[in-house]
Amino acid sequence: SCTVYATTLIKYDLSCELYQKKRQTSEPYLVDLGEKELDQTVTIGATVPTGFEHTAAEEVQEKLEATARVSKNRGRIYFDITTDKLFKVHQLKSLDNLFVVVKDYDDYQFKTTKEEVQLDWQELATKLPWTNALEVWKLNNSIKKKKGRRKRTNPTKSDQCGNFSTKSTDTVPSDPEELLVDLEALEVKENQRDVSSQPEDDSEEEKHSEIQDQESGVTPLKFRVTCNRAGDKHCFTSNDAARDFGGAVQEFFQWKADMTKFDVEVLLNIHNNEVVVGIALTVESLHRRNITHFGPTTLRSTLAYGMLRLCKPQVSDVIVDPMCGTGAIPLEGVMEWQNSFFLAGDNNGTAVSRSVNNIKHIVKRTHDEGSPSGLPLDIVQWDLCNLPMRSSSVDIIITDMPFGKRMGSKKKNWELYPLCLREMARVCKPGTGKAVLLTQDKKCFLKALLQMEGLWRKSHTVWVNVGGLHAGVFVLKRTAVVFGTTSEDVMEPHTATGSQKENMKDASQ
Amino acid sequence: MKLLTHNMLTSHVQGVIKGYPLIIKATEVKVNELEFSAPFVSRMIPKLEWSLISALNCTLIPDYEKDEEFLRKVHRILLEVEVVEGCLQCPESGREFPISKGVPNMLLIEDE
């Protein structure tokens, strides 16, 4: 009787789930359960900002209820999902680029001569389980179509530390291990009945190809291979691998090679003895999603999101970005954590107006989708070293500090950093306050931090790669010490913007 | 600029001792609907300088956490009323900080 009960329960659960599903798709409810349609389980790979693999895995767990593996190859995570969740994967905010894994090898034994390796690639191409991955790729195209095209005023910049380049073969890449294949077009045969959509890079291009498709009826797929190789025991370069593997893929599928207007991007990732073959699911990196008005140092949205996750924003937290630039961090924050309040500021008028424009754009987007148009966010033009804010009013300070290379200068940082940290300590709540600060000038930052020993305590550091520069995200905790009572803030900086008396008064308020 | 922000802003003109609260002189105000969250409002209330809110004819009631109508009223005041154009005046020095397109400019000039 126990077994019967259990089975009935399962049937009941399934029927409810099925009913819900049917209801959502407004199809007639079928009483005959028969075999529940199982969605295919696939492995998705994603590139993330290096250093933020674990925060990305957290987001995957939270939103997809899937456990993510962090690859030994930095900046990548893998997780399994059923295909019905593919749409949700695109909505994740920690991920830069997505791909579906065709197959991965933990311990691939490479032969020792180029010729043998080439033969292996040829054999491999014929043996790989392409079908499932290509189904996912097809499904993904229809998802992308539904999302529609978002206008972008600037094209995405090529990602220095990312793994997928969209450069043409004519350009010589700075990283010799990341090369693209140039294959001669062979005689083309019909292989696929389905015609894919062109990648979302240019609406004009898409129209053109759609017309082409209509005229020719069915066009064969165009593809390219991108290879990333790392390791010192390989007898071949990524160029060799991409060329040989690409040749094998072409022979197997009879696809046409095309460097720029490809339908399918095959990824070959080699990290020592780990080999992962994948098919790209994103063409444009997801990381500039909120920013339509760029500035000279606009932070990647995925990086901004990762930093925000480190803060763990709580309900009613007041979160301040005192050097917001074009507003990447507060924008990302306000989209995800709608129960906190974001205050962003910058001293630069252009930066402020760009932030305002980026907000307007987001507001317009969310308003079109039928929700209230306001956001819990305000922008102020201010001087970070003299914040027009009450002491102890802020819960979290999060910002991208000037690097001194693209913005500001190293010399300026020596003066700026201690003043910043001091003023941040003043406005931040003693005991509970936190700061998450990104900077490339680690030496200067750490020195300034030492001077602030009484007010800030280092919690941990995440090392990241920003535009090719090695930077650190420093997570700090505000100590319980009240501002105005320690030697650090009593000292007289030469660019004092307030008298000592004022500081003491603030502390007693 | 929302009134929640105004609650936290002060004047930092040199020499000024009581730069708070800033006096609002608005020439353009708009109301922008924002998603209501009871937990947000009730947890924000103790963090505020309530005198600025009570000045708008909104008295703090006991047990406010359970009074949705009250919380919605406070929500409207804090987050939905926005000063688009105008200025903020330092109560002590009289210095005016302009607000343009909803953004207050709190930058001081050299001598300030």
Side-chain angles (χ1 to χ4, degrees), chain A residues 105-139:
Chain A
Y105 298 91
D106 238 340
D107 195 19
Y108 193 92
Q109 294 303 316
F110 286 104
K111 301 269 163 59
T112 50
T113 66
K114 282 195 181 186
E115 294 74 26
E116 287 176 294
V117 172
Q118 178 179 27
L119 285 170
D120 277 351
W121 290 134
Q122 281 171 358
E123 202 188 317
L124 189 68
T126 61
K127 288 193 178 152
L128 288 170
W130 294 103
T131 322
N132 285 349
L134 286 170
E135 285 296 318
V136 176
W137 168 82
K138 242 191 265 177
L139 173 65

Side-chain angles (χ1 to χ4, degrees), chain A residues 60-80:
Chain A
V60 167
Q61 182 67 57
E62 221 175 77
K63 298 182 183 173
L64 301 178
E65 291 166 327
T67 313
R69 284 182 287 123
V70 175
S71 170
K72 277 177 277 178
N73 189 2
R74 294 196 81 207
R76 263 167 233 270
I77 62 169
Y78 295 94
F79 51 92
D80 294 337

Side-chain angles (χ1 to χ4, degrees), chain A residues 316 374 378 381 386 388 390, chain B residues 2 5 10 12 33 47 104 106:
Chain A
S316 86
D378 251 335
Q381 189 165 359
N386 187 18
R390 278 193 294 145
Chain B
K2 297 174 171 68
T5 303
T10 74
H12 256 226
E33 211 187 300
K47 299 183 184 184
M106 308 298 294

Side-chain angles (χ1 to χ4, degrees), chain A residues 28-49:
Chain A
Y29 171 53
L30 301 166
V31 180
D32 177 19
L33 291 174
E35 245 183 274
K36 179 177 179 244
E37 193 188 70
L38 285 173
D39 289 295
Q40 207 191 125
T41 300
V42 291
T43 305
I44 301 290
T47 54
V48 303

Side-chain angles (χ1 to χ4, degrees), chain A residues 314-318 338-341 343 346-348 352 356 360 371-383 386-391 393-395 423 426 429 496-499 502 505-506 509, chain B residues 1-20 22 32-37 39-44 47-49 78-80 82 101-108 112:
Chain A
Q314 302 297 308
V315 175
S316 86
D317 270 353
V318 172
Q338 278 148 11
N339 285 332
S340 302
F341 186 75
L343 193 51
D346 205 286
N347 63 352
N348 183 301
V352 167
V356 171
K360 273 210 189 108
S371 49
S373 59
L375 293 171
L377 164 69
D378 251 335
I379 300 183
V380 179
Q381 189 165 359
W382 65 30
D383 172 9
N386 187 18
L387 290 170
M389 290 190 77
R390 278 193 294 145
S391 301
S393 55
V394 178
D395 295 294
E423 189 66 350
R426 181 184 68 77
K429 290 207 171 94
T497 45
S499 62
E502 197 180 75
K505 285 281 175 180
D506 279 346
Q509 252 171 19
Chain B
M1 181 200 71
K2 297 174 171 68
L3 295 178
L4 174 53
T5 303
H6 169 253
N7 206 277
M8 299 185 275
L9 292 178
T10 74
S11 160
H12 256 226
V13 175
Q14 199 163 54
V16 162
I17 294 168
K18 197 71 186 349
Y20 183 87
L22 291 157
N32 228 349
E33 211 187 300
L34 206 144
E35 197 111 14
F36 170 71
S37 158
F40 176 89
V41 183
S42 57
R43 279 183 230 188
M44 189 55 89
K47 299 183 184 184
L48 301 169
E49 180 52 63
L78 291 178
L79 296 172
E80 295 189 330
E82 291 194 44
K101 296 183 186 156
V103 178
N105 185 345
M106 308 298 294
L107 289 178
L108 299 167
E112 287 171 318

Side-chain angles (χ1 to χ4, degrees), chain A residues 113-371:
Chain A
T113 66
K114 282 195 181 186
E115 294 74 26
E116 287 176 294
V117 172
Q118 178 179 27
L119 285 170
D120 277 351
W121 290 134
Q122 281 171 358
E123 202 188 317
L124 189 68
T126 61
K127 288 193 178 152
L128 288 170
W130 294 103
T131 322
N132 285 349
L134 286 170
E135 285 296 318
V136 176
W137 168 82
K138 242 191 265 177
L139 173 65
N140 188 65
N141 285 339
S142 61
I143 289 173
K144 285 202 289 189
K145 263 190 175 150
K146 277 186 201 150
K147 268 171 68 181
R149 262 173 301 291
R150 261 186 268 140
K151 274 200 204 136
R152 298 207 174 233
T153 53
N154 286 18
T156 50
K157 295 179 192 168
S158 72
D159 191 358
Q160 290 289 325
C161 58
N163 299 297
F164 308 125
S165 159
T166 54
K167 300 177 212 149
S168 70
T169 37
D170 293 339
T171 336
V172 177
S174 51
D175 178 5
E177 296 311 332
E178 199 183 288
L179 293 177
L180 307 172
V181 172
D182 184 24
L183 292 175
E184 285 177 55
L186 295 174
E187 190 186 75
V188 161
K189 276 189 207 161
E190 273 173 26
N191 192 52
Q192 297 270 325
R193 299 201 83 238
D194 266 345
V195 175
S196 67
S197 66
Q198 289 295 331
E200 262 183 72
D201 33 52
D202 187 19
S203 57
E204 267 180 46
E205 236 180 87
E206 190 147 355
K207 277 189 208 149
H208 172 73
S209 63
E210 267 167 15
I211 294 166
Q212 238 187 359
D213 291 345
Q214 283 161 30
E215 286 177 326
S216 59
V218 177
T219 41
L221 289 181
K222 296 195 208 125
F223 84 108
R224 78 169 190 193
V225 173
T226 307
C227 176
N228 286 302
R229 188 201 68 82
D232 44 9
K233 297 205 179 105
H234 305 131
C235 67
F236 57 89
T237 63
S238 64
N239 193 18
D240 295 330
R243 184 194 57 233
D244 295 341
F245 189 62
V249 167
Q250 175 154 38
E251 204 175 298
F252 184 66
F253 285 108
Q254 294 299 304
W255 287 339
K256 194 175 174 189
D258 193 321
M259 298 321 303
T260 50
K261 296 184 192 139
F262 50 89
D263 304 308
V264 182
E265 183 177 19
V266 176
L267 308 167
L268 182 60
N269 295 321
I270 304 168
H271 185 249
N272 292 319
N273 282 12
E274 190 195 18
V275 174
V276 180
V277 180
I279 296 179
L281 298 177
T282 51
V283 175
E284 212 172 73
S285 190
L286 302 166
H287 65 61
R288 287 244 188 267
R289 58 179 163 267
N290 285 335
I291 303 292
T292 48
H293 294 82
F294 288 95
T297 57
T298 298
L299 193 67
R300 280 200 285 181
S301 304
T302 43
L303 191 48
Y305 181 80
M307 284 174 66
L308 282 158
R309 279 201 83 99
L310 287 178
C311 300
K312 297 196 203 296
Q314 302 297 308
V315 175
S316 86
D317 270 353
V318 172
I319 304 176
V320 172
D321 181 349
M323 289 183 261
C324 68
T326 51
I329 294 174
L331 266 179
E332 206 56 43
V334 94
M335 297 302 286
E336 179 92 348
W337 290 274
Q338 278 148 11
N339 285 332
S340 302
F341 186 75
F342 290 85
L343 193 51
D346 205 286
N347 63 352
N348 183 301
T350 318
V352 167
S353 58
R354 281 191 177 132
S355 292
V356 171
N357 287 329
N358 283 327
I359 290 177
K360 273 210 189 108
H361 181 84
I362 294 290
V363 166
K364 189 161 177 264
R365 236 169 63 195
T366 50
H367 199 48
D368 288 343
E369 291 160 26
S371 49

Side-chain angles (χ1 to χ4, degrees), chain A residues 453-500:
Chain A
E453 236 161 9
L455 299 167
W456 290 111
R457 190 169 41 86
K458 243 201 321 179
S459 175
H460 60 281
T461 309
V462 179
W463 299 106
V464 299
N465 197 313
V466 185
L469 303 171
H470 189 239
V473 175
F474 295 91
V475 183
L476 308 176
K477 293 259 165 81
R478 176 70 173 83
T479 63
V481 172
V482 173
F483 190 86
T485 55
T486 63
S487 55
E488 290 91 5
D489 39 80
V490 167
M491 79 182 178
E492 190 97 29
H494 59 276
T495 50
T497 45
S499 62
Q500 275 184 32

